[in-house]
Amino acid sequence: MGTSSMYGGYSNGGSQNNPLIPPDFEDNEQENTNNQESQNPENEDSEQDSEDNKVEQQEEQTVEWSNAKTFMSNVASGRSSNIKGTVSKYVKAYGGAKSASKNAVGGIKTTINLGNFVKSISEQGLKETLDAYKIDYKDKSTKEILSELINILAPSPKTKDDAVSRKALILTMEVLYELIEKENLEIEAIEKLDINIIIPTYIEVYIYQKLINDLGSRIESNSKSAADAVALEKDIKEYIHSKIEIVFKGKEIKDYEFSTKEILSLYNQCYTVIEDLL
């Protein structure tokens, strides 16, 4: 509710309806604007150039998204098998690796939260960390504790990216749970988990889930069968996995400080490799 509308302010009818504004306000304002423009003709050119560039960039991005959708439709329908080119086009649709990584707001935030949590476990121990995060672990199963962690580490799903970030963490926790269950281990086994596995797993799942969120409808509508759609999603997942492996090869994630700058750079490296620029 705007107060200007309520009290008949300037935005609700101009100076004629507002006794607090002198009658020649609009003329003076227009005159001042004209004077400024006449005194600074270069500013006008600069603003026009900036606006033209913005329109041009929007048009280019629209074309890139159209290309990405076409590539995905062709792969899903069987007219093409170019998964590499499809995923590359997808990153380009975001404006390239740098822009795609900046757009991964929820993913970066969750990666930082997850990294700091796992790092705290390795440095202080599980129970001390759970106490610090105010998680009541007594008489709770491993599954219950991991579920509670999701609510703490992932953002509430207010945006599409938040929802993707949260889903990626749920899937990462499922991988974690399966590892613990497979070995018949208790929740304390998390202390021995390698952060070099958890962080790459989360980022890989996030990037894949975001791609499916953006272009998954093309797979659904163009695949000849549900089995074909599942097979294509598996191939895309494996392709992204192979690329993420390249980024993390030889890296010691445990030495990271998990700052925004550091994790943004990590996402940029991942998207750069996926865009196939390295």
Side-chain angles (χ1 to χ4, degrees), residues 100-118 133 149-159 161-166 168-169 199 202-203 206 210 257-267:
S101 55
K102 284 183 177 178
N103 200 277
V105 178
I108 290 171
K109 185 178 180 181
T110 307
T111 303
I112 292 171
N113 291 341
L114 181 61
N116 283 326
F117 177 78
V118 177
Y133 280 75
L149 267 177
I150 292 167
N151 292 327
I152 293 174
L153 302 179
S156 299
K158 296 176 182 174
T159 66
D161 190 57
D162 287 342
V164 171
S165 308
R166 192 176 181 84
L169 185 60
I199 296 302
Y202 175 77
I203 294 177
Y206 169 82
K210 189 156 186 173
E257 294 181 357
F258 293 99
S259 65
T260 300
K261 182 180 179 182
E262 200 172 44
I263 302 306
L264 174 63
S265 172
L266 199 52
Y267 271 78

Side-chain angles (χ1 to χ4, degrees), residues 8 22 26 34 39 49 53 79 89 97 114 153 165 170 193 201 215 218 233 236 242-243 252-253 262 264 272:
E26 289 169 328
N34 290 339
Q39 289 169 5
D49 288 346
N53 288 335
R79 289 193 294 271
K89 286 289 181 187
L114 181 61
L153 302 179
S165 308
I170 291 170
L193 289 173
T201 297
L215 298 179
R218 298 286 159 166
E233 289 180 357
I236 293 172
S242 69
K243 289 295 186 177
E252 285 293 338
I253 307 298
E262 200 172 44
L264 174 63
T272 300

Side-chain angles (χ1 to χ4, degrees), residues 191-225:
E191 290 182 0
K192 299 175 184 175
L193 289 173
D194 191 350
I195 196 170
N196 283 325
I197 295 175
I198 296 174
I199 296 302
T201 297
Y202 175 77
I203 294 177
E204 177 185 323
V205 173
Y206 169 82
I207 290 175
Y208 167 74
Q209 286 298 327
K210 189 156 186 173
L211 181 148
I212 293 299
N213 186 70
D214 290 331
L215 298 179
S217 61
R218 298 286 159 166
I219 298 176
E220 288 179 15
S221 58
N222 289 282
S223 294
K224 293 175 182 172
S225 66

Side-chain angles (χ1 to χ4, degrees), residues 21-36:
I21 298 176
D24 60 345
F25 178 84
E26 289 169 328
D27 292 339
N28 287 342
E29 184 182 49
Q30 187 63 44
E31 186 179 346
N32 290 336
T33 302
N34 290 339
N35 287 339
Q36 288 172 2

Side-chain angles (χ1 to χ4, degrees), residues 97-199:
K98 192 174 180 180
S99 181
S101 55
K102 284 183 177 178
N103 200 277
V105 178
I108 290 171
K109 185 178 180 181
T110 307
T111 303
I112 292 171
N113 291 341
L114 181 61
N116 283 326
F117 177 78
V118 177
K119 197 170 182 179
S120 175
I121 290 176
S122 64
E123 292 175 354
Q124 301 180 41
L126 175 64
K127 291 182 178 176
E128 290 77 5
T129 299
L130 292 176
D131 284 338
Y133 280 75
K134 298 180 179 176
I135 296 176
D136 182 12
Y137 52 87
K138 293 175 183 173
D139 301 324
K140 286 187 177 177
S141 66
T142 300
K143 203 169 190 176
E144 287 173 324
I145 294 173
L146 292 179
S147 295
E148 200 163 336
L149 267 177
I150 292 167
N151 292 327
I152 293 174
L153 302 179
S156 299
K158 296 176 182 174
T159 66
K160 273 187 181 180
D161 190 57
D162 287 342
V164 171
S165 308
R166 192 176 181 84
K167 186 172 182 180
L169 185 60
I170 291 170
L171 294 172
T172 302
M173 287 298 179
E174 283 181 4
V175 172
L176 199 55
Y177 180 72
E178 285 173 6
L179 282 174
I180 293 172
E181 196 178 49
K182 187 178 177 182
E183 300 295 329
N184 289 322
L185 300 173
E186 298 296 328
I187 186 68
E188 285 78 6
I190 291 181
E191 290 182 0
K192 299 175 184 175
L193 289 173
D194 191 350
I195 196 170
N196 283 325
I197 295 175
I198 296 174
I199 296 302

